[in-house]
Amino acid sequence: MSATRIGIKAILFDLDMTLLNRDASLRACLAGQHERLHSLLGHISPKTYVERFAELDNKGYRTKEFCYGRLIAEFGISGIDEDELTADYRATFQDHCVGFAGLTEMLDGLQAAGYKLGMITNGRFPFQLLNVQALGIEQYFETILVSEKEQCRKPEAVIFERALVQMGVDAETAVFVGDNPEADVRGAQNVGMRGVWKRTAHWGSCPHANAKIGDLSELLSVVEGFG
């Protein structure tokens, strides 16, 4: 079934925990940091360092400066401050980016079916764009909007509307896929798009989603079903 016949022309995505396995990427980055800066961090076990940071990070909803500041205070880290640790994190995270299973196969399938693809991600610029490039998927997307560069962020309507204009599609012909029930799903629905929730234990449930997926391989059939 073609995109034209079912009325859906475009599919837009969130990045973190939708396409990018941020949890796995974060842990790999922190493990690498601990090993690289062992002379300063070696008095903390790698597991403790990674897990405590991940807990403080709260799925990216706290600043890295806050997380590192707490680690320094809790574990008596000396010889480096939170700004230097944050700079190291931002410089090396893209070296550890891990996509979810079936990522490129899913994008290939959607593209072959004739859908336009876009992305809207909250976060820093160019940090988020570098992560997209690290996954090797930048070429699939007609539009990639990063909140810091756009000076607006999900769930604000303006960032969704801007992406739709850039892609030349109307809201009712577009689908947004994301893991955050409010920023992604509700934000997209508020401008007239369909919202597909990618299940994640962190958010628990999303009863208002137009559809739900647990794996990226499910998306094509879900979109075709919107006809």
Side-chain angles (χ1 to χ4, degrees):
M1 188 176 292
S2 71
T4 301
R5 292 214 316 265
I6 65 171
I8 299 298
K9 297 179 180 178
I11 305 169
L12 293 89
F13 295 88
D14 168 55
L15 177 61
D16 293 337
M17 295 309 293
T18 300
L19 304 179
L20 172 73
N21 187 336
R22 185 182 180 277
D23 286 349
S25 304
L26 177 73
R27 283 171 166 77
C29 177
L30 293 168
Q33 184 177 64
H34 184 277
E35 181 178 1
R36 193 170 54 257
L37 302 177
H38 190 267
S39 62
L40 302 172
L41 306 174
H43 62 289
I44 314 165
S45 76
K47 184 176 188 297
T48 298
Y49 183 76
V50 171
E51 294 305 321
R52 181 55 178 147
F53 186 100
E55 181 182 19
L56 291 166
D57 179 68
N58 189 31
K59 305 295 181 182
Y61 287 88
R62 289 192 177 127
T63 70
K64 302 303 170 288
E65 291 83 356
F66 168 84
C67 298
Y68 283 119
R70 287 288 296 272
L71 286 180
I72 288 169
E74 291 179 14
F75 296 109
I77 298 169
S78 60
I80 194 167
D81 63 24
E82 59 264 36
D83 292 332
E84 292 170 314
L85 285 166
T86 297
D88 179 82
Y89 168 92
R90 290 178 180 149
T92 59
F93 185 90
Q94 62 266 24
D95 298 331
H96 304 278
C97 286
V98 179
F100 282 105
L103 172 58
T104 56
E105 292 85 354
M106 179 268 296
L107 294 172
D108 282 335
L110 294 175
Q111 199 170 66
Y115 297 105
K116 295 184 173 186
L117 303 180
M119 186 186 301
I120 306 173
T121 175
N122 287 348
R124 297 175 63 90
F125 184 88
F127 181 80
Q128 291 291 70
L129 182 58
L130 291 172
N131 295 339
V132 173
Q133 293 169 346
L135 291 175
I137 60 173
E138 182 183 15
Q139 70 276 12
Y140 288 97
F141 300 97
E142 293 190 13
T143 299
I144 299 175
L145 300 186
V146 180
S147 65
E148 184 178 64
K149 183 178 181 182
E150 301 302 319
Q151 295 298 294
C152 52
R153 59 189 289 114
K154 299 174 297 180
E156 295 172 39
V158 63
I159 198 164
F160 291 99
E161 292 166 346
R162 189 173 296 169
L164 293 170
V165 168
Q166 290 183 9
M167 296 179 73
V169 296
D170 297 323
E172 60 269 24
T173 68
V175 174
F176 193 86
V177 185
D179 70 295
N180 188 310
E182 295 305 314
D184 295 325
V185 178
R186 186 83 73 185
Q189 290 172 330
N190 285 344
V191 300
M193 300 172 68
R194 292 178 175 90
V196 174
W197 183 51
K198 186 171 183 292
R199 293 185 186 92
T200 171
H202 179 70
W203 295 111
S205 65
C206 184
H208 54 277
N210 297 103
K212 303 171 186 179
I213 60 171
D215 188 273
L216 294 176
S217 63
E218 302 170 38
L219 184 59
L220 178 58
S221 63
V222 165
V223 173
E224 289 177 339
F226 284 142

